[in-house]
Amino acid sequence: MLSSLALLPAIAGLIPSVSAAALSVNAQKIEDRTITPLTCLFFGDIVSPWWLNKCKPHLDLVVIDLRSAAEYAVSHIPGSISAPFEPISAWSQMGPGDLLLELPEYNDLAAFLGSIGVSNSPSATKIVLVNGVDVPAFPQAASPRVATTLKFAGLSEGRVAVLDGGFPAWATESLPITTEVPVLVPRTFVSAPDTSFLVDINYVASKINKNKQGIFLIDGRDQAVYNGSVMEDWALKPGHIPSAKNLPAQKIWNPDGSYKSTFELLSLLREQIGYSASRSYGEIIVYCGVGGYASSWYFVLTRILGFGSNVKFFDGSAQQWSQFYDMEL
Ligand SMILES: *[C@@H]1O[C@H](CO)[C@@H](O)[C@H](O)[C@H]1NC(C)=O
């Protein structure tokens, strides 16, 4: 039997004989077939560049570019607005005891969201977050961190998505880019903070050494930091919070910055906690150095793997813990 690969050169040879006009008509037909109203009604937690490009004109969408102002200036998605995710920015603040990257004050955050055109009215603005991609995966972590911040702001989770693979994926697919900066149309953002998923250091202290009861701490830092062979600047002691399991956030993404599959992500989790915690029983508390990687696992657990209110977020993370308690090696 002739392998289909053997046919490729023959097919390629045919293409020059087809006129460019005919090809573009075919391309048009394919696009018409694949875009339906339902395609844009379904707003997932992770959206593809293709989906965003197609559906942007059909939805009340705010596309927020979290990369640096310099990267945004070079090129960005048409209509996207620049709101860089930086340790000192509208997305975070310094907490008590110089805690880095704490969630901002609710009123400041609400005013900021309104100023960049995000409304919480029933007309329901949807938000797509766009990050850069690098090693280590700090840029990748920016989108889930901001998604977590928007949950705190009271935006229902079904209204916030991240762009899979970030801006590099958009650029790789040769979708339109621009240097034009859109005019911001401020709106009113009125909501109430959602603090239901936030836990403090005393809460965490009451939950250590309870793995047998299905209560787990997940440390999102790299293995060398978790095991104490490397220390980060912000933790006062090496090691991890006693009884915590290590799940480096770096493993959430493929090298190109796209999200690993649901199956792969669930397998990573099960390798660490087995089946002692699930969507309906037990508890998982996520933390890391200062809260960035912890948000990434918070996003994966609640938005991709379907865990719910039994996932908690410790924003103070290792930085705060190490100021008051011993770490384990
Ligand atoms: C800690 O983790 C690093 C990085 O994976 C590894 O090279 C090192 O051997 C580990 N050290 C201990 C004591 O487990």
Side-chain angles (χ1 to χ4, degrees):
M1 201 178 83
L2 194 60
S3 123
S4 55
L5 270 182
L7 283 175
L8 278 180
I11 293 169
L14 286 177
I15 287 177
S17 68
V18 180
S19 80
L23 273 181
S24 78
V25 167
N26 282 338
Q28 188 60 48
K29 278 188 184 153
I30 289 166
E31 299 204 349
D32 287 347
R33 269 207 307 275
T34 48
I35 189 93
T36 69
L38 274 178
T39 312
C40 294
L41 270 183
F42 180 74
F43 184 71
D45 301 306
I46 299 174
V47 301
S48 68
W50 178 88
W51 182 95
L52 181 58
N53 187 46
K54 284 293 159 199
C55 295
K56 208 157 43 85
H58 305 298
L59 296 171
D60 177 14
L61 266 190
V62 176
V63 180
I64 303 181
D65 193 324
L66 301 173
R67 297 175 303 149
S68 70
E71 288 170 299
Y72 178 86
V74 173
S75 67
H76 52 261
I77 298 173
S80 64
I81 60 154
S82 177
F85 178 80
E86 280 153 7
I88 305 299
S89 71
W91 297 119
S92 66
Q93 65 166 10
M94 196 88 93
D98 293 340
L99 290 178
L100 296 170
L101 206 71
E102 296 300 283
L103 288 168
E105 289 294 334
Y106 172 76
N107 288 337
D108 296 344
L109 182 59
F112 170 67
L113 291 173
S115 76
I116 61 171
V118 176
S119 136
N120 200 26
S121 73
S123 67
T125 317
K126 289 183 165 52
I127 297 172
V128 175
L129 301 167
V130 179
N131 54 257
V133 173
D134 207 347
V135 179
F138 297 139
Q140 287 91 310
S143 287
R145 172 68 198 195
V146 167
T148 306
T149 306
L150 293 172
K151 177 182 168 64
F152 163 68
L155 270 178
S156 73
E157 292 167 293
R159 287 177 41 196
V160 180
V162 305
L163 179 64
D164 202 16
F167 184 77
W170 179 278
T172 301
E173 294 194 23
S174 303
L175 294 169
I177 50 174
T178 187
T179 54
E180 222 169 281
V181 177
V183 177
L184 293 181
V185 183
R187 293 163 93 174
T188 309
F189 184 88
V190 185
S191 187
D194 175 359
T195 57
S196 62
F197 63 108
L198 304 175
V199 294
D200 64 15
I201 189 168
N202 297 324
Y203 184 91
V204 175
S206 75
K207 298 286 180 171
I208 61 173
N209 298 317
K210 293 193 169 163
N211 292 352
K212 288 206 176 81
Q213 292 156 249
I215 300 171
F216 292 93
L217 273 82
I218 296 287
D219 185 325
R221 300 172 301 166
D222 294 347
Q223 190 188 18
V225 182
Y226 168 85
N227 75 19
S229 60
V230 166
M231 260 186 86
E232 292 178 324
D233 289 341
W234 33 83
L236 296 179
K237 300 162 193 157
H240 52 268
I241 298 180
S243 77
K245 302 282 187 181
N246 187 210
L247 213 39
Q250 191 84 43
K251 294 186 177 181
I252 291 173
W253 301 279
N254 295 307
D256 67 0
S258 60
Y259 281 76
K260 285 188 181 157
S261 71
T262 306
F263 174 78
E264 288 170 293
L265 293 168
L266 191 57
S267 300
L268 286 171
L269 178 73
R270 291 297 177 216
E271 278 168 25
Q272 290 302 320
I273 71 166
Y275 288 84
S276 307
S278 79
R279 298 174 178 93
S280 53
Y281 60 85
E283 183 171 301
I284 298 174
I285 301 168
V286 293
Y287 80 94
C288 59
V290 296
Y293 279 165
S295 322
S296 303
W297 276 113
Y298 183 79
F299 180 82
V300 167
L301 285 162
T302 58
R303 303 288 299 281
I304 304 178
L305 300 181
F307 283 70
S309 57
N310 61 344
V311 183
K312 306 291 185 195
F313 179 72
F314 176 35
D315 203 13
S317 281
Q319 188 189 18
Q320 190 182 25
W321 182 270
S322 65
Q323 292 176 7
F324 295 93
Y325 292 105
D326 285 339
M327 306 280 262
E328 185 176 83
L329 288 172

